[in-house]
């Protein structure tokens, strides 16, 4: 397989990966093997069958088996939530994480990625979009000669080369002999019955009834699962009797429906009639959701007469118990979904009523509220943050809500609100074309929108065109937006529009007008030094505008202005802790420093920027860093490594659809020519191709750690040697480079939990529940391992020995299955531990060891403070923040907090000693934010406030601290704090007080 496809395949987002199931596949081994055999000779296989026949589950098993080969990446596209045929291509591209750009259709983007190597594409649930899917598949197969496609649908696509595979029911027993009881349908029914009733067993007394049930249900997997759920209230004999009469009635009254469809519909009908009237109402209303829902969404959307909000959870639990609703856990939150066949049934029932419009209005209203609430928290389009994660999970519902808004002209104003609020989500996922078309249509339709809303929508439209590289379509909407917003008294909206207009005007050649517009944007926002600490949107927009002012200045060759603008952007972003807003201007500053002949300064900027960009998987930022790194390597004389990094950058640029500006293209072509001339065409192209198959992270880490010596070995494994201090002692590298770039297992537990096997993230659902992930963390925190009894005390302290044994082995099995490498967890004696030969990158260990190594000696080395800042950057939040875990982790969490506080205090005191009081104050404020009784931090913050002219604030801080100490600890501030207070009241300048160590906390 060509190398680029391998690199891209590993970057497919979670939405394009094969779904993981919580229960085992039963009885499909022969079908899986036969379909895999067919895929060697046929490029299109359509799995066709009735709803509930197991098409999706069978496709997932085939894809998982095929994808186990390293040369066959698998892309899974779920079409369940999509309703518009014209969006099939865009939906597929977005699911694969591909960004749209001007001059390229969604098909062209898909074909570019799927046309290399021998990938397998799975299109799941095509029946409601059959013609659009047929056109897309036919075109892709013609354009991508090595592509293979598996489709699931209730009918065939009907195109040339298609091999239709009717999905058969599970084997049904011919009798009730012991051999017959091994039939796949019986095994599935028994497994699901045991899920419903843990004590259920197949016995001589109930075997005949179970066999009858499996025969009557034709071996249909969903029908068997729905029936098995009824064993909570019926015996197998009673269940068989009721099914017999129900199916007899149906077969005599309906002759136009296929028997298997009749069977399943009858079973859902029966389940539906057994529900209470409130449960039936809830089931109908839940069909409005696309792609699942949370409990708060269900309560807000479906709870109106006759359903009360407080009743939704109990009613929903009843539907889960009857296997009509599936429940999963995503990032600590329960998420629900009607089974697709059940959802279609419920939607039919819903359409029979008269409250459809009210329900869709409530659905759109809930998700519009979500979008507008999230907007300030997703500025900048950073993926991986909690708010952005939630929006991405709700993409199907957001799209369905916007589609409803587009159905009526009177609702166009709602569509404008959606478009303005979701601009940064669409930037993050690269979903430009659909959003742009919706905004254009709504703007053309609606004449009642307020000037502010219309201005916000026009701004979003202009930026969408800009991100797509369609610069000619940017200026018009931006100019109209600015004209509307200048009179609306909304400074952040106006500044955002002004920055966009200033950028496009400046890139078009008018630097003077551009500068005036940037100045107006800055004036609208105000002085960043006076921004309140919680005004994140204003600060980010100021940093955003400064960044683009720098880009325009650099385009015009004004490097001094560009450098100053980037430094301003970094300074504002640092104050408010916005990682991407730090990383992007730092990368641009590195480019400017390169052009000014300061490669060492450029390297320092990249060393800080790259970990921030990697942390958020910011591919646009990583592209910029890779291109600056290529320049840096070329300047050092490391041409071959530069060519490799260029190849890696090419892959990112193609995947995200980033179109270089004309000046960037000219600069890039000059570099290509120089490298080709210096290395020779063959060496250059070979290194470039190799780079496209190499981890960008690995090459970037080499960029910032590699010495100037051009003979330094290039990529083939990052340099693992630690830095050494002047005394020759090895000091761990807290910057995030080294082992983390090629680790077998990477775990980030300081803040939101992230687990990666190699470069593959493991989502929470891969572990089935929280306990397997918790077991992994427990083993990581105890290198010597844990016994089963120790795990039991930590996880299930009140359970019996037999319960602990069962729970432990279930948890261990799920952990090993999630990791995909059972051999990674070994048993030594009676202890379970991680294999010592594994390369593990655990941020807790790197953080704690890095801090301890740095604080062992005074911060008098020139780079000590920067190393300390880099180590502190690993602390994204408290240990296992937001996770449900046993009490075992609390002691470690507190120890890590103390370690962080010690580091922040040392950093703050170091800055005070250098009379840099603003960064010192930030360090002390951070300590107080998590420990408001830290008297030493409060006292030192008072010193910094006084030294920066904020004496009144320092006195106010003292009063706050005094009250807290008295109310919560029953003590007064110590003498040093009181002495400082007295000095400040007397008008002294706030010299550092004595006794700065060992204060009461």
């Amino acid at each position: 397989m060509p190398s680029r496809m391998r690199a891209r395949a590993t970057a497919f987002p979670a939405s394009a990966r094969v779904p993981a199931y919580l229960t085992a596949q039963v009885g499909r081994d022969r079908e899986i093997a036969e379909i895999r055999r067919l895929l060697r000779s046929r490029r299109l296989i359509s799995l066709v069958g009735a709803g509930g026949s197991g098409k999706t589950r069978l496709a997932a098993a085939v894809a998982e088996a095929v994808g186990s080969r390293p040369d066959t990446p698998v892309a899974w596209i779920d079409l369940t939530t999509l309703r518009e045929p014209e969006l099939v291509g865009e939906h597929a591209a977005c699911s694969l994480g591909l960004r749209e750009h001007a001059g390229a259709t969604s098909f062209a983007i898909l074909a570019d990625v799927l046309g290399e190597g021998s990938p397998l594409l799975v299109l799941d649930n095509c029946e409601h979009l059959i013609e659009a899917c047929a056109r897309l598949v036919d075109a892709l197969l013609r354009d991508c000669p090595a592509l293979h496609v598996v489709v699931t649908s209730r009918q065939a696509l009907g195109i040339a080369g298609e091999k239709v595979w009717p999905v058969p029911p599970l084997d049904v027993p011919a009798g009730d002999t012991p051999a017959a009881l091994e039939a796949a349908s019986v095994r599935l029914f028994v497994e699901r019955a045991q899920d419903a009733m843990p004590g259920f067993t197949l016995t001589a007394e109930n075997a005949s009834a179970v066999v009858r049930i499996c025969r009557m249900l034709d071996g249909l997997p969903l029908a068997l699962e729905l029936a098995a759920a009824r064993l909570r209230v019926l015996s197998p004999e009673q269940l068989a009797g009721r099914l017999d009469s129900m199916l007899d009635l149906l077969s005599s009254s309906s002759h136009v429906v296929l028997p298997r469809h009749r069977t399943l519909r009858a079973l859902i009908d029966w389940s539906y009639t057994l529900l209470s009237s409130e449960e039936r109402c809830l089931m109908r209303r839940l069909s409005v959701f696309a792609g699942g829902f949370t409990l708060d969404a269900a309560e807000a959307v479906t709870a109106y007469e006759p359903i009360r909000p407080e009743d939704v959870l109990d009613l929903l639990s009843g539907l889960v118990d009857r296997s009509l609703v599936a429940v999963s856990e995503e990032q600590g939150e329960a998420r629900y979904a009607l089974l697709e066949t059940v959802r279609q049934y419920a939607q039919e029932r819903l359409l029979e009523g008269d409250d459809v419009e009210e329900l869709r209005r409530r659905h759109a209203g809930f998700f519009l509220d979500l979008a507008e609430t999230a907007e300030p928290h997703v500025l900048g389009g950073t993926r991986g943050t909690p708010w952005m994660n939630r929006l991405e999970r709700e993409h199907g519902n957001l799209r369905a809500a916007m589609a409803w808004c587009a159905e009526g002209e009177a609702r166009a104003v709602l569509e404008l609100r959606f478009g303005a609020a979701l601009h940064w989500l669409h930037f993050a996922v690269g979903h430009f074309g659909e959003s742009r078309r919706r905004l254009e249509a709504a703007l053309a339709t609606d004449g009642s929108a307020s000037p502010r809303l219309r201005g916000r929508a026009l701004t979003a439209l202009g930026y969408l065109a800009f991100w797509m590289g369609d610069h000619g379509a940017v200026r018009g909407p931006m100019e109209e937006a600015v004209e509307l917003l200048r009179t609306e008294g909304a400074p952040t909206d106006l500044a955002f529009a002004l920055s966009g207009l200033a950028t496009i005007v400046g890139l078009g050649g008018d630097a003077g007008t551009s500068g005036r517009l940037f100045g107006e944007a800055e004036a609208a926002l105000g002085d960043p030094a006076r921004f309140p600490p919680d005004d994140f949107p204003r600060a980010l927009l100021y940093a955003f505008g400064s960044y683009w002012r720098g880009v325009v200045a650099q385009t015009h060759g004004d490097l001094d202005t560009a450098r100053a603008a980037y430094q301003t952007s970094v300074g504002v972003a640092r104050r408010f802790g916005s990682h991407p807003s730090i990383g992007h201007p730092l990368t641009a500053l590195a480019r400017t420093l390169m052009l000014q002949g300061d490669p060492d300064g450029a390297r320092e900027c990249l060393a800080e920027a790259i970990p921030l960009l990697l942390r958020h998987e910011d591919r646009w930022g990583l592209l910029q860093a890779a291109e600056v790194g290529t320049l840096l390597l070329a300047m050092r004389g490391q041409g071959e490594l530069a060519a490799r990094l260029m190849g890696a950058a090419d892959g990112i640029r193609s995947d995200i659809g980033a179109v270089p500006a004309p000046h960037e293209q000219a600069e890039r072509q000059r570099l290509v020519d120089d490298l080709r001339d210096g290395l020779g065409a063959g060496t250059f192209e070979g290194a470039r191709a190799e780079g496209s198959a190499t981890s960008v992270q690995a090459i970037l880490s080499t960029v910032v750690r590699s010495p100037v010596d051009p003979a330094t070995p290039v990529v083939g494994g990052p340099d693992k040697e630690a830095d050494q201090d002047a005394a020759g002692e090895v000091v761990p590298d807290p910057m995030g480079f080294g082992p983390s770039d090629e680790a077998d297992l990477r775990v980030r537990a300081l803040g939101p939990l992230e687990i990666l096997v190699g470069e593959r993230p493991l989502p929470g659902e891969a572990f089935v529940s929280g306990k397997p992930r918790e077991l992994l963390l427990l083993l990581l925190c105890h290198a010597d391992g844990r016994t089963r009894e120790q795990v039991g005390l930590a996880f299930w302290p009140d359970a019996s020995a037999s319960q602990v044994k069962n729970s432990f082995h279930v948890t261990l099995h799920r952990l090993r299955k999630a990791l995909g490498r059972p051999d990674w967890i070994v048993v030594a004696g009676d202890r379970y531990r991680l294999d010592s030969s594994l390369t593990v990158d655990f941020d807790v260990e790197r953080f704690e060891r890095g801090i301890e190594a740095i604080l062992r000696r005074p911060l008098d080395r020139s780079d000590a403070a920067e190393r300390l800042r880099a180590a502190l950057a690993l602390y994204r939040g408290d240990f296992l923040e937001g996770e449900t875990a046993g009490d075992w982790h609390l002691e470690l969490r507190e120890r890590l907090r103390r370690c962080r506080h010690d580091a922040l205090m040392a950093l703050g005191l170091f800055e005070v000693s250098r009379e840099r009081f603003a960064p010192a104050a930030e360090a002390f404020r951070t300590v107080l934010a998590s420990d408001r009784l830290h008297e030493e931090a409060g006292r030192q913050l008072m010193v910094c406030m006084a030294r920066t002219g904020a004496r009144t604030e320092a006195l106010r801080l003292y009063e706050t601290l005094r009250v807290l100490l008295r109310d919560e600890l029953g003590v007064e501030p110590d003498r040093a704090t009181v002495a400082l207070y007295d000095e400040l009241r007397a008008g002294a300048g706030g010299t550092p007080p004595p006794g700065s160590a060992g204060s009461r906390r």
Side-chain angles (χ1 to χ4, degrees):
M1 180 175 70
S3 56
R4 182 170 297 172
M5 187 62 219
R6 186 181 300 114
R8 288 177 181 170
T10 61
F12 285 153
S15 58
R17 297 194 185 111
V18 180
Y21 288 89
L22 307 185
T23 53
Q25 174 76 284
V26 175
R28 293 295 195 191
D29 293 346
R30 182 185 61 80
E31 288 89 347
I32 294 168
E34 180 62 17
I35 294 169
R36 289 186 67 187
R37 184 189 65 78
L38 278 173
L39 280 170
R40 299 190 192 108
S41 57
R42 306 298 289 268
R43 296 179 56 211
L44 171 60
I45 297 179
S46 293
L47 306 182
V48 176
S53 60
K55 303 182 295 296
T56 296
R57 189 66 182 267
L58 177 58
V62 171
E64 186 174 355
V66 171
S68 64
R69 292 164 38 194
D71 60 341
T72 308
V74 176
W76 183 283
I77 310 297
D78 183 4
L79 297 167
T80 305
T81 64
L82 187 66
R83 291 292 172 265
E84 301 93 339
E86 68 274 10
L87 297 181
V88 168
E90 291 180 19
H91 176 79
C94 184
S95 297
L96 296 185
L98 307 177
R99 298 168 74 95
E100 303 169 42
H101 56 86
T105 64
S106 55
F107 170 77
I109 298 169
L110 282 169
D112 179 53
V113 172
L114 298 175
E116 298 186 47
S118 303
L120 173 65
L121 174 65
V122 182
L123 293 178
D124 187 35
N125 288 305
C126 296
E127 54 271 358
H128 60 299
L129 304 163
I130 199 72
E131 293 183 5
C133 289
R135 289 193 296 271
L136 177 65
V137 171
D138 184 58
L140 284 173
L141 289 173
R142 293 177 187 277
D143 209 65
C144 308
L147 173 68
H148 289 71
V149 180
V150 169
V151 163
T152 74
S153 177
R154 295 189 184 183
Q155 67 181 95
L157 296 183
I159 61 177
E162 179 182 28
K163 170 63 178 176
V164 178
W165 176 277
V167 175
L170 295 175
D171 294 339
V172 295
D176 54 6
T177 63
L181 297 180
E182 288 299 311
S185 59
V186 173
R187 287 189 285 124
L188 178 64
F189 181 84
V190 170
E191 281 197 17
R192 300 302 180 262
Q194 290 170 343
D195 291 339
M197 291 186 60
F200 179 82
T201 56
L202 188 64
T203 65
E205 289 74 24
N206 63 26
S208 178
V210 169
V211 166
R212 269 181 68 206
I213 291 168
C214 293
R215 285 186 196 142
M216 284 188 288
L217 297 180
D218 297 321
L220 282 172
L222 179 57
L224 292 166
E225 294 187 14
L226 291 173
R230 286 290 159 198
L231 292 185
R232 291 188 180 94
V233 293
L234 297 173
S235 69
E237 293 78 10
Q238 291 172 313
L239 178 60
R242 290 182 179 239
L243 285 175
D244 198 10
S245 60
M246 177 185 66
L247 294 174
D248 282 348
L249 174 63
L250 184 68
S251 62
S252 64
S253 61
S254 177
H255 301 287
V256 295
V257 183
L258 292 174
R260 287 178 193 157
H261 286 272
R262 289 205 304 267
T263 299
L264 186 59
R265 183 173 182 85
L267 197 61
I268 299 176
D269 264 329
W270 181 48
S271 295
Y272 182 77
T273 58
L274 293 176
L275 299 175
S276 69
S277 61
E278 289 81 6
E279 286 173 326
R280 291 197 294 271
C281 180
L282 179 62
M283 178 174 151
R284 293 193 302 270
R285 291 177 180 176
L286 291 177
S287 68
V288 76
F289 291 105
F293 54 91
T294 58
L295 177 60
D296 62 337
E299 289 172 338
V301 174
T302 67
Y304 57 98
E305 186 64 29
I307 298 175
R308 300 179 304 172
E310 59 268 28
D311 295 335
V312 170
L313 178 57
D314 288 340
L315 295 173
L316 187 58
S317 297
L319 298 179
V320 172
D321 289 342
R322 293 166 177 80
S323 295
L324 295 166
V325 171
V327 60
S328 60
E329 182 181 325
E330 293 186 17
Q331 298 184 339
E333 182 178 34
R335 188 166 183 84
Y336 303 87
L338 285 171
L339 300 174
E340 178 57 18
T341 303
V342 175
R343 190 193 67 78
Q344 293 173 12
Y345 174 92
Q347 197 162 62
E348 289 178 14
R349 290 284 191 168
L350 176 68
L351 294 175
E352 295 170 0
D354 57 1
D355 67 343
V356 177
E357 284 303 298
E358 170 64 13
L359 183 66
R360 295 192 69 185
R361 183 191 67 77
R362 295 173 67 92
H363 176 270
F366 176 83
F367 286 102
L368 180 56
D369 286 345
L370 171 65
E372 293 182 332
T373 302
E375 183 187 4
H377 304 281
V378 298
L379 286 173
T382 304
R383 301 188 81 167
T385 61
W387 278 102
M388 187 64 80
N389 286 342
R390 184 170 183 189
L391 289 181
E392 291 196 56
R393 284 197 299 273
E394 299 294 0
H395 204 188
N397 281 309
L398 292 166
R399 174 184 268 156
M402 287 187 287
W404 177 75
C405 294
E407 289 172 6
E409 291 187 5
R411 299 192 287 263
V413 68
L414 300 179
E415 195 166 12
L416 291 179
R417 290 171 61 186
F418 267 117
L422 294 176
H423 162 256
W424 285 114
L425 169 68
H426 297 146
F427 167 77
V429 301
H431 209 175
F432 305 138
E434 176 189 350
S435 308
R436 186 176 172 184
R437 287 193 297 273
R438 288 190 188 280
L439 272 173
E440 288 172 338
L443 284 164
T445 300
D446 185 80
S448 62
S450 68
R452 183 182 179 188
L453 175 56
R454 187 170 180 85
R456 280 168 45 81
L458 285 162
T459 303
L461 179 61
Y463 275 111
L464 286 167
F466 186 75
W467 304 137
M468 294 181 71
D470 188 4
H471 290 184
V474 176
R475 186 162 182 166
M478 289 296 190
E479 286 179 334
E480 185 180 348
V482 167
E483 183 178 351
L484 289 169
L485 293 170
R486 275 183 171 139
T487 61
E488 287 302 301
T492 53
D493 294 337
L494 175 59
F496 191 37
L498 283 166
S499 294
L501 181 57
T503 300
I504 201 65
V505 167
L507 294 178
D510 189 348
T513 301
S514 174
R516 288 192 295 274
L517 291 167
F518 276 124
E520 185 182 351
E522 291 166 359
L525 293 170
D527 181 359
R530 298 180 180 275
F531 291 169
D534 59 348
D535 199 345
F536 174 79
R538 188 184 297 259
L540 189 143
L541 288 173
Y542 197 100
F544 176 88
S546 295
Y547 168 82
W548 284 104
R549 181 193 276 270
V551 171
V552 171
Q554 187 166 315
T555 303
H556 289 274
D558 186 354
L559 299 184
D560 290 337
T561 298
R563 180 173 182 170
Y566 294 143
Q567 289 170 334
T568 297
S569 181
V570 171
V572 174
R574 274 196 182 126
R575 182 182 169 204
F576 286 82
S578 172
H579 290 165
S581 298
I582 300 171
H584 290 175
L586 271 174
T587 302
L589 179 58
R591 184 186 294 272
T592 303
L593 292 173
M594 287 289 300
L595 296 173
Q596 291 184 320
D598 184 7
D600 291 338
R603 177 191 175 280
E604 290 175 8
C605 290
L606 289 178
E608 182 180 354
I610 289 169
L612 301 176
L613 299 171
L614 288 171
R615 181 175 303 158
H616 294 279
E617 299 180 3
D618 187 334
R619 292 197 288 167
W620 189 86
L622 288 171
L623 168 62
Q624 304 305 309
E627 295 192 335
V628 177
T630 302
L631 285 170
L632 179 60
L633 291 169
M635 180 176 284
R636 288 179 178 177
Q638 295 175 275
E640 191 168 344
L641 183 54
R644 293 184 185 186
L645 186 53
M646 181 179 284
D650 289 343
I652 299 178
R653 184 176 288 282
S654 177
D655 285 351
I656 68 175
V659 179
H663 71 281
E664 293 176 327
Q665 184 59 44
E667 178 184 278
R668 188 172 180 276
Q669 189 57 52
R670 286 194 299 270
L671 182 58
V672 168
D673 294 340
D674 290 345
L675 288 173
R676 183 181 283 113
D677 292 343
L679 295 173
T683 302
F684 169 74
E685 295 298 345
R688 191 174 178 182
E690 186 176 345
S692 68
T694 306
S695 163
V696 173
Q697 293 92 321
I699 307 181
L700 284 174
S701 70
T702 306
V703 171
V704 296
R705 297 177 66 243
S706 175
V708 177
D709 179 7
T712 300
V714 293
V715 174
D719 180 8
K720 292 187 179 180
E721 294 182 6
D723 293 339
Q724 293 187 339
D725 65 11
E729 183 175 351
V730 173
V731 178
D733 176 14
M735 296 292 284
F737 300 114
S740 63
D741 295 317
E742 59 175 6
D744 301 305
L745 176 67
R746 284 182 277 179
V747 178
R748 300 169 187 142
L750 293 173
L753 182 60
E754 300 175 16
I755 301 172
L756 298 91
V757 173
E759 295 181 5
R760 177 172 59 92
L762 291 183
E765 56 266 25
F767 295 87
V768 180
S769 67
K771 283 302 179 193
R773 290 190 299 172
E774 189 179 352
L775 177 58
L776 175 61
L777 269 296
L778 184 68
L779 296 180
L780 283 168
C781 292
H782 295 87
D784 58 340
R786 298 279 89 178
T787 66
R788 187 174 68 209
E789 291 71 25
Q790 288 173 320
V791 175
L793 284 173
F795 287 8
W796 310 283
D798 300 324
S800 67
S802 61
Q803 288 172 326
V804 166
K805 179 180 179 181
N806 180 65
S807 297
F808 173 78
H809 285 292
V810 169
T811 301
L812 180 63
H813 171 74
R814 287 175 173 170
L815 172 57
R816 284 172 164 163
K817 186 173 182 181
L819 294 174
R821 290 292 301 273
D823 55 313
W824 280 6
I825 299 176
V826 299
V827 184
D830 62 347
R831 288 179 175 266
Y832 295 80
R833 60 174 175 79
L834 289 168
D835 186 350
S836 58
S837 67
L838 282 176
T839 303
V840 179
D841 174 13
F842 186 29
D843 64 347
V844 169
E845 182 179 23
R846 283 198 290 133
F847 170 75
E848 195 167 26
R849 289 190 178 183
I851 296 291
E852 290 172 354
I854 295 168
L855 296 186
R856 276 203 297 266
R857 52 187 48 80
L859 298 183
D860 54 4
R861 286 178 48 178
S862 61
D863 66 339
E866 290 305 314
R867 293 173 64 83
L868 191 55
R869 285 192 185 91
L872 283 165
L874 293 172
Y875 200 101
R876 301 172 299 130
D878 285 339
F879 178 56
L880 292 184
E881 181 180 285
E883 295 292 319
T884 301
D887 291 346
W888 67 270
H889 80 290
L890 297 178
E891 181 180 352
L892 175 57
R893 173 183 285 186
E894 185 57 32
R895 188 177 84 214
L896 292 165
R897 280 178 179 169
R898 291 196 302 269
C899 181
R900 183 192 185 214
H901 289 170
D902 291 345
L904 285 165
M905 291 300 298
L907 180 61
L909 291 170
F910 173 80
E911 296 289 11
V912 168
S913 71
R914 299 300 194 271
E915 297 191 357
R916 296 193 291 256
F917 296 107
E922 288 304 309
F924 299 136
R925 280 195 185 95
T926 304
V927 174
L928 287 172
S930 62
D931 183 359
R932 59 184 185 165
L933 298 175
H934 199 300
E935 187 175 351
E936 170 69 1
R939 184 166 62 245
Q940 293 295 344
L941 181 54
M942 289 169 62
V943 171
C944 295
M945 287 175 168
R947 289 295 183 87
T948 55
R951 189 169 65 89
T952 302
E953 287 85 348
L955 293 171
R956 191 179 300 124
L957 175 61
Y958 171 84
E959 294 296 342
T960 300
L961 185 60
R962 182 175 64 84
V963 170
L964 285 171
L965 290 170
R966 178 183 296 170
D967 291 351
E968 300 197 22
L969 299 181
V971 299
E972 295 294 329
D974 67 22
R975 285 179 295 177
T977 309
V978 175
L980 174 61
Y981 173 69
D982 291 339
E983 289 180 27
L984 294 176
R985 287 188 64 193
T991 54
S996 60
S999 303
R1000 177 172 59 248
R1001 291 179 58 187

